[in-house]
Amino acid sequence: MKNIRKIFIPSLVTILMSGTIGCTKLDDPLLDKTDKASTGVDLQLKAAYQSLGTFTDQAAIYALTEHPSDEMQGPTRGADWDDNGRWRNLHTHTWNNQSDDVLAAWNNLNRGHALANEVIGDTRATKLQVAEAKYLRAFYMYYTVDIFGQVAFRDLANPSALPKALSRKDATAQIISELKAISGDLPSATSSNTGTATKEAAAFLLAKVYLNNAVFSQDPASPAGPFTFAKADMDAVIANADIIINSGKYALTENYFDNFHYENSTRSKELIFVIQNEKGASNLNGSSPRNRYFMTTHYNQVPSGWNGFTTLSDFYNSFEKTDSRFGAAIPGLTDKKGLRAGFLAGQQFDETGKALLDRSGSPLSFTLKYDFKVANEADGVRVIKYIPDLSDIDSPGNDYVFFRYADLLLMKAEALHRSGSSAAALAIVNNLRAIRGVAALTSLTDKALLDERGREMYWEGWRRNDQIRFGTFANPVDNRTTASPAYRVVFPIPQRELEINANLKQNFGY
């Protein structure tokens, strides 16, 4: 695949800022000259928010959270999508500390962290600006902790020193402490500020951290567990979830795909923290929701995509076919160009019902199982979650979703389940299932809960995280026929970062 698109091209100022975390060869006076003297704190804070746009690329952070899981794979189709095996290596858990996406994810997360630090360390910043920047730093640190198992942390009081290497456990404790400290300084959520730090966004992130605290507190030499989920952590998940639930500001959205529609800012009742995009201007925010459909649609579909990523057969088969999350016709899209939302399997059609063809003239019929090393152009079930706007395919107005209400409810259900309150957890899950149009479960097991999270949250960047917590990440799947080594639940620290910062140590197993 030759047209991997970089959705966030950092300016010189941003590149220089990134040196405050990962590189020790740039001098702080240069940072002062290029940014602080020529821009306001508001622009520094805006840059820290804009760095979130890197999450919308199909590579780097998103690739690490999805391709190693049981819900996504990137087939090689002849000369297309080989990319020196990068997608296959992610799916087969054979990456190393010089893999493209490992290095890019580390750099992008640390760039965002560094940009937040610029605001936190600026004496001109207001209490609110510092609180927002600390929220963003906690957000970037959360992903760094989850993906890489340690954090390079710059002491702002001693900027000339090498960044400290915070262990997974210590970095998690700092995230929790900092989020608690800033909550009172953040505004409450409204319908117009979902793209900025709020009390509710901080409570959601706290709930997510506590839910994973058993994973993050694990002995680094046995990072895959088994895990012990402390009742105090589960109680904290529930308490933070209840802050959001009891606010009365959110509800489950009846039409599932309205959460990802190009009008989701008004259609969805679930959005807690997003990248707010405006039609025709989304690229100015460093965000490109179009990647989510371009990375999967076939050349002869509309929108004409890159014919790339697919889901796995077992994940596809985990859905009841009446589940509204499984697929739907979208007014203004399906009736105009034939494309449906959800999972696209079998023969594909245009808006008139005419069968689509592949480039060789054969029926465009997406297959379920295939060898992803030698796939053809019609192999693999495709997934459409973000709804294309046919009036502006390249710069649509879909807000890009990080945190939403359904996830929060499932986190609370999981915390209740792990605390022994399975009846209360089952009630939450069955209420969600009823709104999604499927029958109630009669009991709740770990497997049932993980399956439900998959059906609700697929392709949103949470599956690797969920599978690790439930102990299934290393299991064999389509095109990965043997169990993976346990240490693969975290990624390696990039080699060049080890050479730059002697405080960082390579993760166990690498």
Side-chain angles (χ1 to χ4, degrees):
M1 199 277 191
K2 295 184 174 61
N3 58 347
I4 289 186
R5 186 167 173 267
K6 298 298 183 186
I7 54 83
F8 180 67
I9 306 299
S11 66
L12 176 60
V13 170
T14 301
I15 292 170
L16 291 171
M17 285 178 180
S18 69
T20 62
I21 292 292
C23 177
T24 62
K25 299 184 184 299
L26 295 175
D27 295 324
D28 287 328
L30 182 57
L31 298 178
D32 292 338
K33 290 178 183 177
T34 56
D35 185 69
K36 291 182 181 178
S38 60
T39 68
V41 179
D42 54 342
L43 292 181
Q44 294 178 35
L45 184 59
K46 182 178 181 181
Y49 276 111
Q50 285 182 327
S51 196
L52 293 169
T54 188
F55 284 82
T56 70
D57 197 348
Q58 75 276 8
I61 301 166
Y62 182 76
L64 298 192
T65 63
E66 286 290 353
H67 281 274
S69 78
D70 65 355
E71 69 178 21
M72 184 182 289
Q73 58 186 340
T76 297
R77 307 180 191 276
D80 292 338
W81 286 99
D82 179 72
D83 295 325
N84 295 316
R86 68 188 293 187
W87 315 109
R88 297 192 305 274
N89 290 340
L90 290 177
H91 184 70
T92 57
H93 295 188
T94 53
W95 56 76
N96 59 45
N97 67 350
Q98 298 185 64
S99 295
D100 289 345
D101 295 290
V102 170
L103 180 59
W106 175 270
N107 286 344
N108 292 343
L109 288 169
N110 283 292
R111 180 182 294 117
H113 183 159
L115 289 166
N117 271 352
E118 288 294 306
V119 178
I120 296 166
D122 196 319
T123 58
R124 300 171 299 170
T126 66
K127 181 181 287 188
L128 175 58
Q129 287 173 325
V130 170
E132 288 188 69
K134 286 186 174 181
Y135 168 82
L136 289 172
R137 183 169 71 180
F139 184 94
Y140 292 117
M141 285 180 64
Y142 167 80
Y143 276 92
T144 308
V145 164
D146 180 40
I147 293 171
F148 292 103
Q150 56 186 296
V151 172
F153 190 84
R154 173 74 72 183
D155 182 358
L156 296 181
N158 188 16
S160 62
L162 284 172
K164 296 183 292 185
L166 296 182
S167 70
R168 211 175 197 190
K169 187 175 182 178
D170 288 346
T172 301
Q174 177 163 324
I175 293 169
I176 291 171
S177 175
E178 200 149 83
L179 286 172
K180 287 181 176 180
I182 63 172
S183 180
D185 297 329
L186 293 172
S188 296
T190 69
S191 60
S192 62
N193 68 355
T194 53
T196 57
T198 63
K199 294 181 188 298
E200 289 78 4
F204 186 105
L205 184 53
L206 265 173
K208 186 69 75 173
V209 174
Y210 278 117
L211 187 66
N212 289 280
N213 201 24
V215 178
F216 297 164
S217 299
Q218 185 71 13
D219 180 352
S222 56
F227 307 118
T228 300
F229 294 88
K231 187 177 186 302
D233 287 339
M234 298 303 99
D235 288 346
V237 175
I238 295 164
N240 281 284
D242 283 344
I243 289 172
I244 298 171
I245 294 167
N246 295 337
S247 74
K249 297 175 182 179
Y250 306 95
L252 291 171
T253 301
E254 291 185 11
N255 186 333
Y256 178 71
F257 291 104
D258 277 351
N259 291 309
F260 312 96
H261 196 274
Y262 47 86
E263 296 173 348
N264 62 346
S265 60
T266 55
R267 291 176 177 236
S268 176
K269 304 172 186 176
E270 298 190 25
L271 308 185
I272 297 172
F273 184 56
V274 304
I275 299 174
Q276 290 179 296
N277 291 311
E278 296 297 330
K279 180 178 176 178
S282 63
N283 290 339
L284 298 178
N285 292 332
S287 169
S288 181
R290 78 168 200 158
N291 280 34
R292 290 298 173 266
Y293 41 85
F294 270 54
M295 70 186 190
T296 191
T297 54
H298 185 269
Y299 312 113
N300 291 344
Q301 292 180 292
V302 178
S304 174
W306 301 327
N307 198 38
F309 306 153
T310 73
T311 196
L312 280 67
S313 61
D314 285 345
F315 191 80
Y316 174 87
N317 288 326
S318 72
F319 284 77
E320 298 168 66
K321 301 309 181 277
T322 57
D323 193 328
S324 65
R325 300 167 293 193
F326 184 67
I330 304 297
L333 176 65
T334 310
D335 56 323
K336 299 295 185 183
K337 294 298 179 182
L339 191 71
R340 291 171 57 86
F343 294 87
L344 310 182
Q347 179 62 53
Q348 301 301 297
F349 301 91
D350 70 10
E351 68 278 9
T352 69
K354 180 181 177 182
L356 293 176
L357 305 177
D358 66 17
R359 291 181 296 177
S360 70
S362 300
L364 184 61
S365 182
F366 294 145
T367 60
L368 210 56
K369 277 183 173 277
Y370 63 94
D371 184 340
F372 81 154
K373 297 186 295 294
V374 289
N376 66 46
E377 65 179 75
D379 278 337
V381 174
R382 314 308 166 86
V383 179
I384 299 295
K385 198 145 192 185
Y386 282 85
I387 308 303
D389 182 353
L390 295 177
S391 68
D392 197 334
I393 286 175
D394 286 332
S395 298
N398 316 59
D399 286 352
Y400 186 81
V401 183
F402 289 116
F403 300 160
R404 65 183 179 91
Y405 191 60
D407 188 4
L408 182 88
L409 294 177
L410 288 172
M411 287 196 291
K412 180 177 179 179
E414 184 179 335
L416 288 165
H417 174 70
R418 295 191 186 280
S419 299
S421 301
S422 289
L426 181 62
I428 292 173
V429 172
N430 280 338
N431 178 63
L432 173 67
R433 286 175 61 82
I435 290 173
R436 302 305 186 222
V438 284
L441 301 175
T442 57
S443 63
L444 196 62
T445 63
D446 283 4
K447 182 180 185 304
L449 194 47
L450 177 61
D451 286 349
E452 199 62 37
R453 281 197 60 84
R455 288 185 285 264
E456 181 65 30
M457 305 302 299
Y458 65 91
W459 282 39
E460 293 182 51
W462 294 115
R463 189 60 176 175
R464 169 191 162 275
N465 176 268
D466 290 342
Q467 283 199 279
I468 291 169
R469 204 169 56 255
F470 281 88
T472 68
F473 180 71
N475 292 356
V477 295
D478 287 353
N479 292 305
R480 189 175 75 236
T481 57
T482 60
S484 301
Y487 69 85
R488 291 280 174 174
V489 299
V490 292
F491 288 90
I493 305 301
Q495 179 59 36
R496 76 179 191 185
E497 296 304 315
L498 298 174
E499 295 168 0
I500 290 171
N501 186 352
N503 291 330
L504 292 167
K505 305 300 179 185
Q506 189 53 273
N507 288 324
F508 175 80
Y510 291 101

